[in-house]
C-alpha cells in the first residue's frame, strides 16, 4: 500500500465514510489537533519519567486514536445500511474519564498545595508536558466549535477537558520528580 494517494492534491480529504471535505474543515482541524496532541504525548512518554506515568500516557494515546476516529467519522455515514455502527471500536467511556480523575487525585496527594498560577517550564520534560496541555486545550476549543455546528459525542468534549487538567497535574508531578523549580506567577506591581 502506498502512503501517497494524490487524492488530497486539490485541498480536500476524506472523512471515515468517504465524504470529502476541505482540509481546513473544522472536523479536520479537530482531529488534526488531537493527532498533534498525541504526538506531543509520545514525546513526553519517551522522557525519563516514572513507569506509571508512561503506562497512563500510553493508555491516553490509545484513547486519543479512538477520539480522533470518532471526530473523523461523518455523522451522516456513522451508521451502515445494516444498522451497525461504522466505527467498530470501543468508544470513550466514563471509566476513561474516571481513570484521569483518579490519577489526578493520586498525583495531587503528593504535591504541595498550589497558591499561585505557575509559569510553564522548569525543565525540558515539564515544558513538553505543558505544551501538550495547551495543545489539548486547543483540541478542546476546536471540538467545541465543531459541536456547535455538528453535535459530537459529549464524551469527546468531557475527555479533552479532563485530559488538559490531567496534563497540568502531571506537569507539576514531573516538576517534583525531577526537582525542577516551579516558578509562581506574581503579577508585577503597577
Amino acid at each position: 500500500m502506498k502512503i501517497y494517494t494524490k487524492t488530497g492534491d486539490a485541498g480536500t480529504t476524506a472523512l471515515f465514510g468517504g465524504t470529502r471535505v476541505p482540509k481546513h474543515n473544522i472536523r479536520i482541524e479537530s482531529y488534526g489537533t488531537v493527532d498533534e496532541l498525541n504526538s506531543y504525548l509520545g514525546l513526553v512518554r519517551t522522557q525519563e519519567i516514572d513507569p506509571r506515568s508512561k503506562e497512563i500516557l500510553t493508555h491516553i494515546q490509545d484513547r486519543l486514536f479512538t477520539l480522533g476516529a470518532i471526530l473523523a467519522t461523518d455523522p451522516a455515514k456513522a451508521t451502515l445500511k445494516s444498522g451497525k455502527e461504522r466505527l467498530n471500536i470501543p468508544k470513550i467511556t466514563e471509566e476513561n474519564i474516571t481513570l484521569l480523575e483518579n490519577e489526578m487525585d493520586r498525583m495531587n496527594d503528593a504535591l504541595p498545595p498550589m497558591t499561585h498560577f505557575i509559569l510553564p517550564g522548569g525543565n525540558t520534560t515539564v515544558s513538553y508536558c505543558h505544551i501538550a496541555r495547551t495543545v489539548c486545550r486547543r483540541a478542546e476549543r476546536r471540538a467545541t466549535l465543531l459541536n456547535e455546528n455538528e453535535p459530537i459525542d459529549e464524551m469527546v468534549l468531557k475527555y479533552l477537558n479532563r485530559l488538559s487538567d490531567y496534563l497540568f497535574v502531571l506537569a507539576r508531578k514531573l516538576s517534583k520528580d525531577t526537582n525542577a523549580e516551579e516558578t509562581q506567577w506574581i503579577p508585577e506591581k503597577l
Side-chain angles (χ1 to χ4, degrees):
M1 178 178 157
K2 288 188 176 186
I3 295 298
Y4 59 92
T5 62
K6 301 181 183 180
T7 58
D9 289 354
T12 65
T13 192
L15 298 175
F16 193 45
T19 304
R20 294 205 67 82
V21 296
K23 289 186 177 186
H24 63 269
N25 181 284
I26 187 60
R27 185 171 290 283
I28 307 306
E29 282 286 330
S30 295
Y31 74 75
T33 307
V34 168
D35 188 35
E36 182 183 353
L37 169 61
N38 208 336
S39 297
Y40 274 111
L41 292 182
L43 184 60
V44 174
R45 187 174 49 80
T46 59
Q47 303 300 301
E48 293 295 321
I49 63 174
D50 63 283
R52 177 68 182 169
S53 294
K54 285 185 183 216
E55 177 187 333
I56 297 298
L57 286 171
T58 300
H59 174 77
I60 291 168
Q61 287 187 283
D62 172 81
R63 299 290 68 218
L64 288 178
F65 262 98
T66 295
L67 199 146
I70 292 167
L71 291 171
T73 302
D74 180 353
K77 296 186 178 179
T79 305
L80 301 171
K81 290 178 184 175
S82 66
K84 288 182 137 184
E85 286 187 36
R86 179 175 298 279
L87 198 57
N88 188 23
I89 57 175
K91 304 301 185 295
I92 304 296
T93 65
E94 276 295 337
E95 290 76 24
N96 298 139
I97 293 162
T98 300
L99 173 69
L100 294 177
E101 292 171 346
N102 290 341
E103 287 298 310
M104 280 188 278
D105 291 343
R106 184 184 62 75
M107 290 186 291
N108 248 338
D109 286 345
L111 294 172
M114 200 172 85
T115 58
H116 293 81
F117 286 108
I118 298 168
L119 298 178
N123 64 36
T124 303
T125 302
V126 174
S127 295
Y128 288 153
C129 196
H130 278 293
I131 291 169
R133 173 185 58 79
T134 61
V135 172
C136 186
R137 286 286 189 210
R138 180 162 29 96
E140 182 182 16
R141 290 190 303 272
R142 297 289 188 259
T144 57
L145 179 58
L146 172 61
N147 188 56
E148 284 182 8
N149 297 297
E150 297 178 47
I152 59 175
D153 182 348
E154 67 181 17
M155 297 306 285
V156 166
L157 299 175
K158 195 170 181 180
Y159 190 81
L160 288 171
N161 185 47
R162 206 68 84 253
L163 179 56
S164 62
D165 295 335
Y166 167 84
L167 292 170
F168 177 77
V169 178
L170 178 62
R172 292 200 68 219
K173 177 201 181 302
L174 295 176
S175 286
K176 182 178 183 221
D177 290 353
T178 60
N179 295 315
E181 181 181 352
E182 276 191 341
T183 304
Q184 296 180 346
W185 176 62
I186 310 290
E188 294 179 359
K189 304 261 188 238
L190 291 177

